[in-house]
Structures are given as C-alpha cells and as structure tokens.
PDB file of all heavy atoms in Angstrom:
ATOM      1  N   TYR A 703      -3.319  -2.580  -7.423  1.00  0.00           N
ATOM      2  CA  TYR A 703      -4.508  -3.013  -6.709  1.00  0.00           C
ATOM      3  C   TYR A 703      -4.263  -4.054  -5.676  1.00  0.00           C
ATOM      4  O   TYR A 703      -4.792  -4.091  -4.597  1.00  0.00           O
ATOM      5  CB  TYR A 703      -5.548  -3.430  -7.725  1.00  0.00           C
ATOM      6  CG  TYR A 703      -6.912  -3.746  -7.215  1.00  0.00           C
ATOM      7  CD1 TYR A 703      -7.790  -2.693  -6.785  1.00  0.00           C
ATOM      8  CD2 TYR A 703      -7.346  -5.043  -7.139  1.00  0.00           C
ATOM      9  CE1 TYR A 703      -8.987  -2.947  -6.281  1.00  0.00           C
ATOM     10  CE2 TYR A 703      -8.621  -5.301  -6.584  1.00  0.00           C
ATOM     11  CZ  TYR A 703      -9.408  -4.293  -6.179  1.00  0.00           C
ATOM     12  OH  TYR A 703     -10.658  -4.535  -5.633  1.00  0.00           O
ATOM     13  N   ALA A 704      -3.297  -4.957  -6.041  1.00  0.00           N
ATOM     14  CA  ALA A 704      -2.911  -5.966  -5.086  1.00  0.00           C
ATOM     15  C   ALA A 704      -2.270  -5.363  -3.844  1.00  0.00           C
ATOM     16  O   ALA A 704      -2.515  -5.807  -2.700  1.00  0.00           O
ATOM     17  CB  ALA A 704      -1.931  -6.975  -5.699  1.00  0.00           C
ATOM     18  N   LEU A 705      -1.413  -4.343  -4.054  1.00  0.00           N
ATOM     19  CA  LEU A 705      -0.766  -3.681  -2.940  1.00  0.00           C
ATOM     20  C   LEU A 705      -1.875  -2.997  -2.018  1.00  0.00           C
ATOM     21  O   LEU A 705      -1.760  -2.877  -0.801  1.00  0.00           O
ATOM     22  CB  LEU A 705       0.212  -2.633  -3.373  1.00  0.00           C
ATOM     23  CG  LEU A 705       1.474  -3.215  -3.978  1.00  0.00           C
ATOM     24  CD1 LEU A 705       2.306  -2.168  -4.644  1.00  0.00           C
ATOM     25  CD2 LEU A 705       2.296  -3.984  -3.007  1.00  0.00           C
ATOM     26  N   GLN A 706      -2.913  -2.336  -2.702  1.00  0.00           N
ATOM     27  CA  GLN A 706      -4.038  -1.719  -1.890  1.00  0.00           C
ATOM     28  C   GLN A 706      -4.676  -2.761  -1.023  1.00  0.00           C
ATOM     29  O   GLN A 706      -4.986  -2.517   0.171  1.00  0.00           O
ATOM     30  CB  GLN A 706      -4.984  -1.119  -2.862  1.00  0.00           C
ATOM     31  CG  GLN A 706      -6.032  -0.213  -2.208  1.00  0.00           C
ATOM     32  CD  GLN A 706      -7.277  -1.053  -1.845  1.00  0.00           C
ATOM     33  OE1 GLN A 706      -7.602  -1.941  -2.568  1.00  0.00           O
ATOM     34  NE2 GLN A 706      -8.006  -0.711  -0.839  1.00  0.00           N
ATOM     35  N   LYS A 707      -4.946  -3.921  -1.615  1.00  0.00           N
ATOM     36  CA  LYS A 707      -5.637  -4.962  -0.875  1.00  0.00           C
ATOM     37  C   LYS A 707      -4.802  -5.458   0.274  1.00  0.00           C
ATOM     38  O   LYS A 707      -5.237  -5.821   1.374  1.00  0.00           O
ATOM     39  CB  LYS A 707      -6.017  -6.169  -1.752  1.00  0.00           C
ATOM     40  CG  LYS A 707      -7.231  -5.731  -2.689  1.00  0.00           C
ATOM     41  CD  LYS A 707      -8.472  -5.390  -1.881  1.00  0.00           C
ATOM     42  CE  LYS A 707      -9.687  -5.110  -2.785  1.00  0.00           C
ATOM     43  NZ  LYS A 707     -10.876  -4.656  -2.030  1.00  0.00           N
ATOM     44  N   PHE A 708      -3.456  -5.494  -0.009  1.00  0.00           N
ATOM     45  CA  PHE A 708      -2.617  -5.907   1.134  1.00  0.00           C
ATOM     46  C   PHE A 708      -2.645  -4.842   2.230  1.00  0.00           C
ATOM     47  O   PHE A 708      -2.698  -5.320   3.389  1.00  0.00           O
ATOM     48  CB  PHE A 708      -1.194  -5.984   0.494  1.00  0.00           C
ATOM     49  CG  PHE A 708      -0.068  -6.280   1.546  1.00  0.00           C
ATOM     50  CD1 PHE A 708       0.074  -7.600   2.135  1.00  0.00           C
ATOM     51  CD2 PHE A 708       0.779  -5.318   1.942  1.00  0.00           C
ATOM     52  CE1 PHE A 708       1.006  -7.868   3.062  1.00  0.00           C
ATOM     53  CE2 PHE A 708       1.801  -5.516   2.820  1.00  0.00           C
ATOM     54  CZ  PHE A 708       1.920  -6.816   3.509  1.00  0.00           C
ATOM     55  N   GLY A 709      -2.551  -3.620   1.906  1.00  0.00           N
ATOM     56  CA  GLY A 709      -2.572  -2.584   2.983  1.00  0.00           C
ATOM     57  C   GLY A 709      -3.830  -2.493   3.696  1.00  0.00           C
ATOM     58  O   GLY A 709      -3.869  -2.219   4.864  1.00  0.00           O
ATOM     59  N   ALA A 710      -5.004  -2.766   3.060  1.00  0.00           N
ATOM     60  CA  ALA A 710      -6.268  -2.752   3.619  1.00  0.00           C
ATOM     61  C   ALA A 710      -6.445  -3.848   4.653  1.00  0.00           C
ATOM     62  O   ALA A 710      -7.378  -3.777   5.378  1.00  0.00           O
ATOM     63  CB  ALA A 710      -7.310  -2.779   2.642  1.00  0.00           C
ATOM     64  N   ALA A 711      -5.643  -4.887   4.589  1.00  0.00           N
ATOM     65  CA  ALA A 711      -5.718  -5.963   5.507  1.00  0.00           C
ATOM     66  C   ALA A 711      -5.210  -5.623   6.955  1.00  0.00           C
ATOM     67  O   ALA A 711      -5.498  -6.297   7.882  1.00  0.00           O
ATOM     68  CB  ALA A 711      -5.053  -7.241   4.967  1.00  0.00           C
ATOM     69  N   PHE A 712      -4.442  -4.570   7.037  1.00  0.00           N
ATOM     70  CA  PHE A 712      -3.966  -4.137   8.292  1.00  0.00           C
ATOM     71  C   PHE A 712      -4.922  -3.352   9.096  1.00  0.00           C
ATOM     72  O   PHE A 712      -5.796  -2.639   8.570  1.00  0.00           O
ATOM     73  CB  PHE A 712      -2.656  -3.321   8.139  1.00  0.00           C
ATOM     74  CG  PHE A 712      -1.506  -4.061   7.603  1.00  0.00           C
ATOM     75  CD1 PHE A 712      -1.242  -4.057   6.209  1.00  0.00           C
ATOM     76  CD2 PHE A 712      -0.586  -4.726   8.492  1.00  0.00           C
ATOM     77  CE1 PHE A 712      -0.113  -4.748   5.736  1.00  0.00           C
ATOM     78  CE2 PHE A 712       0.428  -5.435   7.963  1.00  0.00           C
ATOM     79  CZ  PHE A 712       0.725  -5.438   6.610  1.00  0.00           C
ATOM     80  N   LYS A 713      -4.876  -3.443  10.427  1.00  0.00           N
ATOM     81  CA  LYS A 713      -5.662  -2.654  11.276  1.00  0.00           C
ATOM     82  C   LYS A 713      -5.145  -1.221  11.384  1.00  0.00           C
ATOM     83  O   LYS A 713      -3.940  -1.013  11.933  1.00  0.00           O
ATOM     84  CB  LYS A 713      -5.776  -3.202  12.690  1.00  0.00           C
ATOM     85  CG  LYS A 713      -6.494  -4.606  12.763  1.00  0.00           C
ATOM     86  CD  LYS A 713      -6.629  -5.103  14.177  1.00  0.00           C
ATOM     87  CE  LYS A 713      -7.395  -6.407  14.258  1.00  0.00           C
ATOM     88  NZ  LYS A 713      -7.507  -6.947  15.624  1.00  0.00           N
ATOM     89  N   THR A 714      -5.845  -0.257  10.848  1.00  0.00           N
ATOM     90  CA  THR A 714      -5.378   1.141  10.837  1.00  0.00           C
ATOM     91  C   THR A 714      -6.383   2.104  11.312  1.00  0.00           C
ATOM     92  O   THR A 714      -7.628   1.811  11.107  1.00  0.00           O
ATOM     93  CB  THR A 714      -4.849   1.493   9.404  1.00  0.00           C
ATOM     94  OG1 THR A 714      -5.893   1.355   8.495  1.00  0.00           O
ATOM     95  CG2 THR A 714      -3.683   0.607   9.011  1.00  0.00           C
ATOM     96  N   LYS A 715      -6.022   3.206  11.686  1.00  0.00           N
ATOM     97  CA  LYS A 715      -6.977   4.278  11.926  1.00  0.00           C
ATOM     98  C   LYS A 715      -7.377   4.999  10.653  1.00  0.00           C
ATOM     99  O   LYS A 715      -6.638   4.940   9.642  1.00  0.00           O
ATOM    100  CB  LYS A 715      -6.372   5.340  12.853  1.00  0.00           C
ATOM    101  CG  LYS A 715      -6.008   4.792  14.164  1.00  0.00           C
ATOM    102  CD  LYS A 715      -5.317   5.850  15.149  1.00  0.00           C
ATOM    103  CE  LYS A 715      -4.933   5.301  16.444  1.00  0.00           C
ATOM    104  NZ  LYS A 715      -4.271   6.282  17.261  1.00  0.00           N
ATOM    105  N   PRO A 716      -8.668   5.490  10.544  1.00  0.00           N
ATOM    106  CA  PRO A 716      -9.124   6.116   9.274  1.00  0.00           C
ATOM    107  C   PRO A 716      -8.213   7.203   8.698  1.00  0.00           C
ATOM    108  O   PRO A 716      -8.215   7.338   7.525  1.00  0.00           O
ATOM    109  CB  PRO A 716     -10.510   6.678   9.684  1.00  0.00           C
ATOM    110  CG  PRO A 716     -10.913   5.811  10.923  1.00  0.00           C
ATOM    111  CD  PRO A 716      -9.657   5.517  11.631  1.00  0.00           C
ATOM    112  N   ASP A 717      -7.518   7.903   9.546  1.00  0.00           N
ATOM    113  CA  ASP A 717      -6.599   9.004   9.057  1.00  0.00           C
ATOM    114  C   ASP A 717      -5.159   8.587   8.979  1.00  0.00           C
ATOM    115  O   ASP A 717      -4.311   9.398   8.764  1.00  0.00           O
ATOM    116  CB  ASP A 717      -6.779  10.254   9.952  1.00  0.00           C
ATOM    117  CG  ASP A 717      -6.375  10.021  11.409  1.00  0.00           C
ATOM    118  OD1 ASP A 717      -6.211   8.787  11.739  1.00  0.00           O
ATOM    119  OD2 ASP A 717      -6.281  10.996  12.147  1.00  0.00           O
ATOM    120  N   GLN A 718      -4.890   7.299   9.303  1.00  0.00           N
ATOM    121  CA  GLN A 718      -3.446   6.875   9.150  1.00  0.00           C
ATOM    122  C   GLN A 718      -3.013   6.611   7.710  1.00  0.00           C
ATOM    123  O   GLN A 718      -3.759   6.098   6.934  1.00  0.00           O
ATOM    124  CB  GLN A 718      -3.374   5.559   9.952  1.00  0.00           C
ATOM    125  CG  GLN A 718      -1.940   5.038  10.100  1.00  0.00           C
ATOM    126  CD  GLN A 718      -1.855   3.815  10.956  1.00  0.00           C
ATOM    127  OE1 GLN A 718      -2.719   3.528  11.746  1.00  0.00           O
ATOM    128  NE2 GLN A 718      -0.716   3.066  10.805  1.00  0.00           N
ATOM    129  N   THR A 719      -1.802   7.041   7.393  1.00  0.00           N
ATOM    130  CA  THR A 719      -1.253   6.957   6.096  1.00  0.00           C
ATOM    131  C   THR A 719      -0.320   5.686   6.041  1.00  0.00           C
ATOM    132  O   THR A 719       0.544   5.532   6.922  1.00  0.00           O
ATOM    133  CB  THR A 719      -0.429   8.206   5.681  1.00  0.00           C
ATOM    134  OG1 THR A 719      -1.342   9.343   5.719  1.00  0.00           O
ATOM    135  CG2 THR A 719       0.231   8.110   4.266  1.00  0.00           C
ATOM    136  N   GLN A 720      -0.522   4.953   4.970  1.00  0.00           N
ATOM    137  CA  GLN A 720       0.336   3.865   4.703  1.00  0.00           C
ATOM    138  C   GLN A 720       0.972   4.076   3.329  1.00  0.00           C
ATOM    139  O   GLN A 720       0.354   4.424   2.397  1.00  0.00           O
ATOM    140  CB  GLN A 720      -0.416   2.561   4.680  1.00  0.00           C
ATOM    141  CG  GLN A 720      -1.159   2.141   6.023  1.00  0.00           C
ATOM    142  CD  GLN A 720      -1.756   0.846   5.883  1.00  0.00           C
ATOM    143  OE1 GLN A 720      -1.084  -0.249   5.987  1.00  0.00           O
ATOM    144  NE2 GLN A 720      -3.080   0.795   5.652  1.00  0.00           N
ATOM    145  N   CYS A 721       2.249   3.694   3.144  1.00  0.00           N
ATOM    146  CA  CYS A 721       2.952   3.737   1.959  1.00  0.00           C
ATOM    147  C   CYS A 721       3.617   2.450   1.639  1.00  0.00           C
ATOM    148  O   CYS A 721       4.343   1.840   2.459  1.00  0.00           O
ATOM    149  CB  CYS A 721       4.040   4.940   2.004  1.00  0.00           C
ATOM    150  SG  CYS A 721       5.000   5.021   0.522  1.00  0.00           S
ATOM    151  N   PHE A 722       3.419   1.960   0.408  1.00  0.00           N
ATOM    152  CA  PHE A 722       3.974   0.727  -0.048  1.00  0.00           C
ATOM    153  C   PHE A 722       4.762   0.906  -1.219  1.00  0.00           C
ATOM    154  O   PHE A 722       4.268   1.481  -2.195  1.00  0.00           O
ATOM    155  CB  PHE A 722       2.850  -0.395  -0.254  1.00  0.00           C
ATOM    156  CG  PHE A 722       2.125  -0.681   0.999  1.00  0.00           C
ATOM    157  CD1 PHE A 722       0.943  -0.013   1.350  1.00  0.00           C
ATOM    158  CD2 PHE A 722       2.566  -1.632   1.872  1.00  0.00           C
ATOM    159  CE1 PHE A 722       0.178  -0.288   2.426  1.00  0.00           C
ATOM    160  CE2 PHE A 722       1.879  -2.004   3.007  1.00  0.00           C
ATOM    161  CZ  PHE A 722       0.660  -1.287   3.370  1.00  0.00           C
ATOM    162  N   VAL A 723       5.915   0.308  -1.360  1.00  0.00           N
ATOM    163  CA  VAL A 723       6.852   0.445  -2.522  1.00  0.00           C
ATOM    164  C   VAL A 723       7.197  -0.989  -2.929  1.00  0.00           C
ATOM    165  O   VAL A 723       7.720  -1.713  -2.179  1.00  0.00           O
ATOM    166  CB  VAL A 723       8.097   1.181  -2.239  1.00  0.00           C
ATOM    167  CG1 VAL A 723       8.982   1.303  -3.480  1.00  0.00           C
ATOM    168  CG2 VAL A 723       7.851   2.599  -1.825  1.00  0.00           C
ATOM    169  N   ASP A 724       6.843  -1.307  -4.171  1.00  0.00           N
ATOM    170  CA  ASP A 724       7.175  -2.675  -4.722  1.00  0.00           C
ATOM    171  C   ASP A 724       8.234  -2.440  -5.770  1.00  0.00           C
ATOM    172  O   ASP A 724       7.934  -1.908  -6.836  1.00  0.00           O
ATOM    173  CB  ASP A 724       5.899  -3.279  -5.385  1.00  0.00           C
ATOM    174  CG  ASP A 724       6.229  -4.632  -6.002  1.00  0.00           C
ATOM    175  OD1 ASP A 724       6.880  -5.422  -5.418  1.00  0.00           O
ATOM    176  OD2 ASP A 724       5.773  -4.838  -7.190  1.00  0.00           O
ATOM    177  N   VAL A 725       9.468  -2.946  -5.527  1.00  0.00           N
ATOM    178  CA  VAL A 725      10.579  -2.778  -6.385  1.00  0.00           C
ATOM    179  C   VAL A 725      10.781  -4.002  -7.229  1.00  0.00           C
ATOM    180  O   VAL A 725      11.316  -5.045  -6.768  1.00  0.00           O
ATOM    181  CB  VAL A 725      11.894  -2.446  -5.639  1.00  0.00           C
ATOM    182  CG1 VAL A 725      13.099  -2.264  -6.709  1.00  0.00           C
ATOM    183  CG2 VAL A 725      11.696  -1.217  -4.851  1.00  0.00           C
ATOM    184  N   GLY A 726      10.260  -4.044  -8.437  1.00  0.00           N
ATOM    185  CA  GLY A 726      10.410  -5.216  -9.345  1.00  0.00           C
ATOM    186  C   GLY A 726      11.597  -5.043 -10.169  1.00  0.00           C
ATOM    187  O   GLY A 726      12.403  -4.100 -10.110  1.00  0.00           O
ATOM    188  N   ASN A 727      11.864  -6.050 -11.096  1.00  0.00           N
ATOM    189  CA  ASN A 727      12.986  -5.964 -11.911  1.00  0.00           C
ATOM    190  C   ASN A 727      12.939  -4.891 -12.959  1.00  0.00           C
ATOM    191  O   ASN A 727      13.911  -4.212 -13.308  1.00  0.00           O
ATOM    192  CB  ASN A 727      13.212  -7.291 -12.604  1.00  0.00           C
ATOM    193  CG  ASN A 727      14.469  -7.335 -13.471  1.00  0.00           C
ATOM    194  OD1 ASN A 727      15.629  -7.338 -12.922  1.00  0.00           O
ATOM    195  ND2 ASN A 727      14.312  -7.298 -14.738  1.00  0.00           N
ATOM    196  N   SER A 728      11.689  -4.701 -13.440  1.00  0.00           N
ATOM    197  CA  SER A 728      11.387  -3.673 -14.513  1.00  0.00           C
ATOM    198  C   SER A 728      10.697  -2.428 -14.139  1.00  0.00           C
ATOM    199  O   SER A 728      10.912  -1.382 -14.677  1.00  0.00           O
ATOM    200  CB  SER A 728      10.640  -4.384 -15.592  1.00  0.00           C
ATOM    201  OG  SER A 728      11.319  -5.440 -16.087  1.00  0.00           O
ATOM    202  N   TYR A 729       9.890  -2.571 -12.944  1.00  0.00           N
ATOM    203  CA  TYR A 729       9.004  -1.473 -12.615  1.00  0.00           C
ATOM    204  C   TYR A 729       8.999  -1.360 -11.057  1.00  0.00           C
ATOM    205  O   TYR A 729       9.176  -2.299 -10.367  1.00  0.00           O
ATOM    206  CB  TYR A 729       7.559  -1.616 -13.059  1.00  0.00           C
ATOM    207  CG  TYR A 729       7.431  -2.135 -14.469  1.00  0.00           C
ATOM    208  CD1 TYR A 729       7.147  -3.492 -14.739  1.00  0.00           C
ATOM    209  CD2 TYR A 729       7.593  -1.237 -15.545  1.00  0.00           C
ATOM    210  CE1 TYR A 729       7.033  -3.938 -16.063  1.00  0.00           C
ATOM    211  CE2 TYR A 729       7.493  -1.691 -16.868  1.00  0.00           C
ATOM    212  CZ  TYR A 729       7.274  -3.067 -17.180  1.00  0.00           C
ATOM    213  OH  TYR A 729       7.174  -3.546 -18.315  1.00  0.00           O
ATOM    214  N   THR A 730       8.893  -0.118 -10.626  1.00  0.00           N
ATOM    215  CA  THR A 730       8.746   0.189  -9.207  1.00  0.00           C
ATOM    216  C   THR A 730       7.365   0.812  -8.956  1.00  0.00           C
ATOM    217  O   THR A 730       7.038   1.824  -9.582  1.00  0.00           O
ATOM    218  CB  THR A 730       9.827   1.098  -8.615  1.00  0.00           C
ATOM    219  OG1 THR A 730      11.107   0.373  -8.715  1.00  0.00           O
ATOM    220  CG2 THR A 730       9.588   1.493  -7.157  1.00  0.00           C
ATOM    221  N   GLU A 731       6.531   0.312  -8.114  1.00  0.00           N
ATOM    222  CA  GLU A 731       5.194   0.807  -7.896  1.00  0.00           C
ATOM    223  C   GLU A 731       5.185   1.570  -6.483  1.00  0.00           C
ATOM    224  O   GLU A 731       5.660   0.982  -5.508  1.00  0.00           O
ATOM    225  CB  GLU A 731       4.149  -0.290  -7.860  1.00  0.00           C
ATOM    226  CG  GLU A 731       3.928  -0.970  -9.217  1.00  0.00           C
ATOM    227  CD  GLU A 731       3.123  -0.096 -10.182  1.00  0.00           C
ATOM    228  OE1 GLU A 731       2.565   0.889  -9.787  1.00  0.00           O
ATOM    229  OE2 GLU A 731       3.148  -0.390 -11.397  1.00  0.00           O
ATOM    230  N   LEU A 732       4.625   2.679  -6.532  1.00  0.00           N
ATOM    231  CA  LEU A 732       4.326   3.439  -5.224  1.00  0.00           C
ATOM    232  C   LEU A 732       2.863   3.532  -4.949  1.00  0.00           C
ATOM    233  O   LEU A 732       2.087   4.028  -5.910  1.00  0.00           O
ATOM    234  CB  LEU A 732       5.025   4.824  -5.392  1.00  0.00           C
ATOM    235  CG  LEU A 732       4.696   5.783  -4.222  1.00  0.00           C
ATOM    236  CD1 LEU A 732       5.225   5.338  -2.833  1.00  0.00           C
ATOM    237  CD2 LEU A 732       5.132   7.236  -4.548  1.00  0.00           C
ATOM    238  N   VAL A 733       2.431   3.016  -3.833  1.00  0.00           N
ATOM    239  CA  VAL A 733       0.995   3.124  -3.549  1.00  0.00           C
ATOM    240  C   VAL A 733       0.860   3.696  -2.135  1.00  0.00           C
ATOM    241  O   VAL A 733       1.551   3.336  -1.164  1.00  0.00           O
ATOM    242  CB  VAL A 733       0.424   1.651  -3.500  1.00  0.00           C
ATOM    243  CG1 VAL A 733      -0.988   1.630  -2.915  1.00  0.00           C
ATOM    244  CG2 VAL A 733       0.315   1.102  -4.937  1.00  0.00           C
ATOM    245  N   ILE A 734      -0.113   4.649  -1.977  1.00  0.00           N
ATOM    246  CA  ILE A 734      -0.284   5.302  -0.670  1.00  0.00           C
ATOM    247  C   ILE A 734      -1.776   5.087  -0.358  1.00  0.00           C
ATOM    248  O   ILE A 734      -2.674   5.413  -1.190  1.00  0.00           O
ATOM    249  CB  ILE A 734       0.075   6.890  -0.853  1.00  0.00           C
ATOM    250  CG1 ILE A 734       1.517   7.020  -1.088  1.00  0.00           C
ATOM    251  CG2 ILE A 734      -0.301   7.519   0.553  1.00  0.00           C
ATOM    252  CD1 ILE A 734       2.029   8.429  -1.292  1.00  0.00           C
ATOM    253  N   LEU A 735      -1.983   4.748   0.907  1.00  0.00           N
ATOM    254  CA  LEU A 735      -3.322   4.571   1.378  1.00  0.00           C
ATOM    255  C   LEU A 735      -3.564   5.496   2.553  1.00  0.00           C
ATOM    256  O   LEU A 735      -2.584   5.854   3.312  1.00  0.00           O
ATOM    257  CB  LEU A 735      -3.581   3.099   1.933  1.00  0.00           C
ATOM    258  CG  LEU A 735      -3.902   2.025   0.911  1.00  0.00           C
ATOM    259  CD1 LEU A 735      -2.703   1.776  -0.082  1.00  0.00           C
ATOM    260  CD2 LEU A 735      -4.205   0.722   1.687  1.00  0.00           C
ATOM    261  N   LYS A 736      -4.790   5.946   2.691  1.00  0.00           N
ATOM    262  CA  LYS A 736      -5.176   6.625   3.904  1.00  0.00           C
ATOM    263  C   LYS A 736      -6.213   5.802   4.586  1.00  0.00           C
ATOM    264  O   LYS A 736      -7.357   5.560   3.983  1.00  0.00           O
ATOM    265  CB  LYS A 736      -5.819   8.013   3.628  1.00  0.00           C
ATOM    266  CG  LYS A 736      -6.107   8.859   4.848  1.00  0.00           C
ATOM    267  CD  LYS A 736      -6.610  10.244   4.515  1.00  0.00           C
ATOM    268  CE  LYS A 736      -6.873  11.115   5.792  1.00  0.00           C
ATOM    269  NZ  LYS A 736      -7.261  12.465   5.452  1.00  0.00           N
TER     270      LYS A 736
END
C-alpha cells in the first residue's frame, strides 16, 4: 500500500502503467499501477 501511494504521487496519464519492485532482505514486493 505504501508503494501504491508512492506511485500515485507521480504525474501520470490515466492509461499509463507503472511497476514498482521493493527488494527487501526477506521479501520482494511487486506492485503494478495503471
């Protein structure tokens, strides 16, 4: 959810795709926004 809020702070077009990958020590999170 924190990654989603981070991505939503950028100026993007409604149909633009954003992908965020957070590589932690124990877990890797993949988040995709449109």
